[in-house]
Amino acid sequence: MIDLHYAPTPNGWKISIMLEELGLPYNLIPVNIRAGDQFKPEFLAISPNNRIPAIVDHAPVDGGGPFSVFETGAILIYLADKTGRFLPAETRARSVVLQWLMWQMSGLGPMLGQHGHFALYAQDKIPYAIERYRDEAARLYHVLDTQLGKTGGYVAGGDYSIADIACFPWTMTHKAQGFTLDDYPNIKRWYALVRARPKVQAGLAIGKFVKEPFDEEARRNMFGQAAKEAARK
């Protein structure tokens, strides 16, 4: 059994989708990031960066005690290695998948996250910040579109992999962020292909947000002030 400490965000969806695709049994442990659950000591013990998601594997392949993993890229690699799926064993093919996984972790996710923050959530709309992150997000969409045009299939080649599982949830934010996939025909083809997978749909259906007001406490917990205060303790 795997414990999944989770909130329904693009990063959370990566791991719920992966677990559904693998068919691994898991126990869902909601983390209310609006209420500040990510700062609780029991969560920090397994995710010291106070970010969701994180997992605890109670049956690791080495036969030892429970093993915790945080950071989505590390979790995806761990689960792929555990099951032998969605990450090739051959050196070059494995490297290509990992390159695109790292690209998502270092580029697509953070830049879309920053654009979403400044364009949608920030109380003060700063034109320079919005334009900077929108331009970078658009550049990254173009990079992904070009790559998918080359492969004609999935992000890292002809086979579905953890690179697709990492990238897809972030592209789901395109409408909210003011992008249209009509501008990126290769992404549009791939997006429909991935979105139609039953296990992807199952992963996206896990743990919907409770309808709560997005108040000042939620803003403080999600956008840094609470993290700053926790770091001083």
Side-chain angles (χ1 to χ4, degrees):
M1 178 66 72
I2 290 174
D3 291 337
L4 170 60
H5 297 259
Y6 169 90
T9 70
N11 284 330
W13 290 329
K14 293 179 193 177
I15 309 307
S16 60
I17 288 171
M18 181 67 166
L19 288 168
E20 289 290 334
E21 290 277 18
L22 294 171
L24 290 174
Y26 63 96
N27 174 40
L28 186 71
I29 302 175
V31 179
N32 188 333
I33 58 178
R34 295 186 180 186
D37 288 356
Q38 67 271 37
F39 302 112
K40 291 181 177 179
E42 56 268 32
F43 182 71
L44 290 172
I46 61 171
S47 184
N49 195 35
N50 61 262
R51 294 289 187 271
I52 61 91
I55 66 167
V56 178
D57 185 356
H58 292 275
V61 293
D62 64 5
F67 185 71
S68 62
V69 189
F70 74 104
E71 292 296 322
T72 56
I75 297 170
L76 289 171
I77 293 168
Y78 176 84
L79 293 173
D81 285 342
K82 177 182 175 73
T83 60
R85 298 182 64 194
F86 305 128
L87 180 60
E90 191 275 323
T91 300
R92 294 192 180 201
R94 181 183 177 90
S95 178
V96 172
V97 171
L98 293 178
Q99 288 172 57
W100 285 100
L101 174 64
M102 296 304 111
W103 174 84
Q104 187 283 315
M105 295 288 297
S106 64
L108 186 67
M111 293 303 103
L112 286 174
Q114 292 293 345
H115 177 255
H117 174 77
F118 283 106
L120 302 176
Y121 294 108
Q123 290 178 308
D124 298 323
K125 302 303 181 191
I126 305 171
Y128 174 78
I130 295 170
E131 181 179 7
R132 170 176 169 76
Y133 288 115
R134 182 175 179 80
D135 287 349
E136 181 62 6
R139 186 189 72 81
L140 292 165
Y141 266 107
H142 178 71
V143 170
L144 181 58
D145 191 68
T146 301
Q147 171 66 6
L148 288 165
K150 290 178 180 177
T151 68
Y154 295 98
V155 172
D159 296 325
Y160 181 71
S161 73
I162 57 174
D164 302 282
I165 294 171
C167 290
F168 175 76
W170 278 102
T171 63
M172 287 186 64
T173 70
H174 67 272
K175 289 183 181 178
Q177 298 207 25
F179 292 97
T180 173
L181 296 188
D182 290 339
D183 293 337
Y184 307 99
N186 297 306
I187 297 179
K188 187 174 184 179
R189 170 198 58 77
W190 164 84
Y191 183 91
L193 187 65
V194 176
R195 186 71 177 83
R197 293 178 68 94
K199 297 300 184 181
V200 169
Q201 295 175 26
L204 294 173
I206 299 298
K208 300 290 187 181
F209 267 127
V210 175
K211 294 295 183 182
E212 299 173 334
F214 195 76
D215 56 17
E216 284 306 308
E217 182 184 2
R219 186 177 295 277
R220 189 173 69 85
N221 286 325
M222 292 181 67
F223 299 145
Q225 184 60 35
K228 187 186 298 185
E229 292 170 4
R232 295 194 185 111
K233 294 179 179 179

